[in-house]
Every structure is written in structure tokens, then in C-alpha cells.
Amino acid sequence: MEETAETAPRGLMAVKRERTILIVLGSIEQGTARRAPRPEAGAPASRVLRNFVIAVRASGPPITSIDLLPDGTTSLVFRLLDAGRADLVVVGPKTRAVYKRAPRFLLAVQVVFRPGGAYPFFGVPMDELADRMVPARDLWGRRADALLEQLASVGAGLTLDRTRARLDAIERALEGRMLGPDAFEPASAAIARAAVRNLSLGGITVEETASALHVSPRNLRRAFVATVGVSPKQYARIARFQRVVSNAQVARGSWSEIALASGYCDQPHLVREFRELAGLSPVAFMKRRSKGEIERAR
């Protein structure tokens, strides 16, 4: 996450949960389950949160770079900076890629909300957080201070028990926010999330999406900006960009073929949009990723 800030239920369900945590050099990839098939690797253990959170993960040293790609998501991030310093920040949706050399964090724990899923937890229009990093205290007040103190007190070690303890504490806090008396989101949020699903698939315009949802394009834009943090048109561009990233990793065809398969008119269209969102050409981006220098935010 950027170093300079521009600046839920009363508890978890009383059900035993298991966490499977794979530790590899430089990161901890973690999945969750309740003694039942989980919907996706890295999903939260809490079933209450799964409609809103796409992934939870923890990373340990060496954390040398922080590279975020636009994908429409918002994240809550706990960072253990050294033995005596830690912070808890909210990273809003990105409209442009961010590539940054990182200080030597000891640990980072990240909760990634689905596009349109963060509003109930933070209580502000998401466009106020776009392209920003905000201290969680600015949104949660003293409750953020209490959670930060709890997370920091676990210690700096990367043991499984300490990772579980942090993830459990964060999920309890999120459930407390979502089911607490202060939770609120406008009725139009459901429309925005339905639009996210349509636009993520591609092959449909913003106008067609609005018509399918029986709202005007203007009302859809208003709901979308508040709930997701970017306009529907910007999100459609981001979703198409993400399809290129995914397709390029598995496809063996030419860039022209990848462009058409991902929803672009032609290769020049792909290259132009890619440069705007990633700051690199598709070829340069894939070379950088192949060297392990870019990690997706999701």
C-alpha cells in the first residue's frame, strides 16, 4: 500500500473454523473453511462476510515492493512496520496502477472487499476513498485504535497461531461494523452491485446495463460512484483490463487475438487503454510480472 496517506455483529458465529495457511518465502497465502467446502481460496472464514469480502491474505518479509493494479476493490490493511510501530489503513479503489518500493514491513494483513462491498463497513461514499490511503481511525475513530492495539499486541512472529489470531480479530471487527447499529448503505447499493456483475462479464454497455436494471444511466452512475468508488464506465474499462491480464497469462495467441477475446476493438485499442491503466505497455507489464515484480491486489 502507499506509504504516504492522503490523507459489524457482536461477535463471530459460534461455529468451529479451520484455517489452512500455506507459508512460502516472502508471503503467507491463507484460505479459510468451516469444515465444509469454501467458496474460494482466501475467502473469509465468516459466512456473513463472504458476500462482501473477496479475499483475506497475510504477507511476511521480505516485502520489498507494493504494486497495486486497478480492479475496483477497496482494502483494509494492517501493517507491522517494526517491533514498535504498526498502522491500520483503508486503501480505496485504484484508477491507475501504483508501483512503489516498500519499507521493510515485518508483516501485512489485507482484507480485500468485492467491488461495491466496502460501503457498509466504512460508511462514506467510496469515491471519497478513490486513489487514496486513509487511516482507519478517520473512519472508525477509537474502534480503529482498539483494533490496531489488539493486532499489534499479537507480536511480530509469523507463526500460524499469530496469523490466525489477527485474522479472527479483523473478521470480528468487520462483523461488528456490518451488524452494528451504525451500519448503513443506500438502497441503490444493490443496483450498483448488480451492475458490477453485469459489467464484469463484458459484452454489455453501461446504457444497456442501466436499462436492464430499470434505472436511468444518470441514476446508475450516481449509485455506482457512491458504492464502488468509480463510475460505471471507468469500472467497465478496469474489468476489461483485468480480463487482458488474466487472458495474457494463459493464452498462446497474438496480442491481437487477446485484444478481441478481452473485449477490445483491436490491438492498438488494447495498448492505449493498458498504458493508461497500468502505466506500461502490455509486453513490458508481462515481462515485469514474469520476474515476480508485480503482485495483483486481488
Side-chain angles (χ1 to χ4, degrees), residues 5 11-12 34 50 55 71 92 109 115 124-125 139 155 167 184 190 199 251 295:
L12 288 174
R34 286 179 182 270
R50 287 180 184 171
D71 62 3
V109 178
V124 297
L139 303 172
L167 293 169
F184 167 79
L199 294 173
E295 288 206 21

Side-chain angles (χ1 to χ4, degrees), residues 19-82:
R19 292 185 185 275
T20 302
I21 304 175
L22 172 64
I23 300 180
V24 296
L25 181 62
S27 69
I28 302 175
E29 296 292 336
Q30 152 274 325
T32 56
R34 286 179 182 270
R35 301 183 182 277
R38 59 178 179 259
E40 57 183 296
S46 165
R47 293 187 184 276
V48 175
L49 298 179
R50 287 180 184 171
N51 288 334
F52 302 90
V53 174
I54 196 170
V56 292
R57 62 169 67 95
S59 302
I63 304 173
T64 58
S65 64
I66 298 171
D67 301 331
L68 299 176
L69 303 182
D71 62 3
T73 66
T74 295
S75 297
L76 175 67
V77 186
F78 165 74
R79 304 182 301 182
L80 189 61
L81 307 176
D82 55 39

Side-chain angles (χ1 to χ4, degrees), residues 133-212:
M133 174 186 290
V134 178
R137 193 181 198 285
D138 290 356
L139 303 172
W140 286 356
R142 294 180 179 178
R143 294 178 183 177
D145 293 339
L147 177 58
L148 176 59
E149 182 177 356
Q150 181 181 2
L151 297 173
S153 67
V154 173
L158 294 178
T159 65
L160 297 182
D161 287 344
R162 286 176 174 174
T163 301
R164 290 188 187 106
R166 285 195 174 94
L167 293 169
D168 284 343
I170 292 173
E171 289 193 23
R172 283 195 299 271
L174 291 174
E175 281 197 329
R177 291 289 302 176
M178 185 175 63
L179 299 183
D182 298 331
F184 167 79
E185 68 174 7
S188 59
I191 293 174
R193 283 194 279 269
V196 164
R197 291 191 291 271
N198 287 350
L199 294 173
S200 295
L201 297 175
I204 183 171
T205 67
V206 172
E207 290 72 19
E208 290 168 341
T209 298
S211 177

Side-chain angles (χ1 to χ4, degrees), residues 203-255:
I204 183 171
T205 67
V206 172
E207 290 72 19
E208 290 168 341
T209 298
S211 177
L213 295 173
H214 307 291
V215 296
S216 70
R218 176 178 294 183
N219 286 338
L220 175 60
R221 187 184 191 283
R222 185 180 298 116
F224 208 95
V225 166
T227 304
V228 181
V230 298
S231 71
K233 184 171 292 187
Q234 180 71 15
Y235 181 78
R237 293 178 67 208
I238 289 170
R240 187 168 53 191
F241 162 79
Q242 287 288 348
R243 287 197 294 275
V244 171
V245 174
S246 297
N247 290 338
Q249 291 178 308
V250 298
R252 296 183 180 180
S254 66
W255 281 108

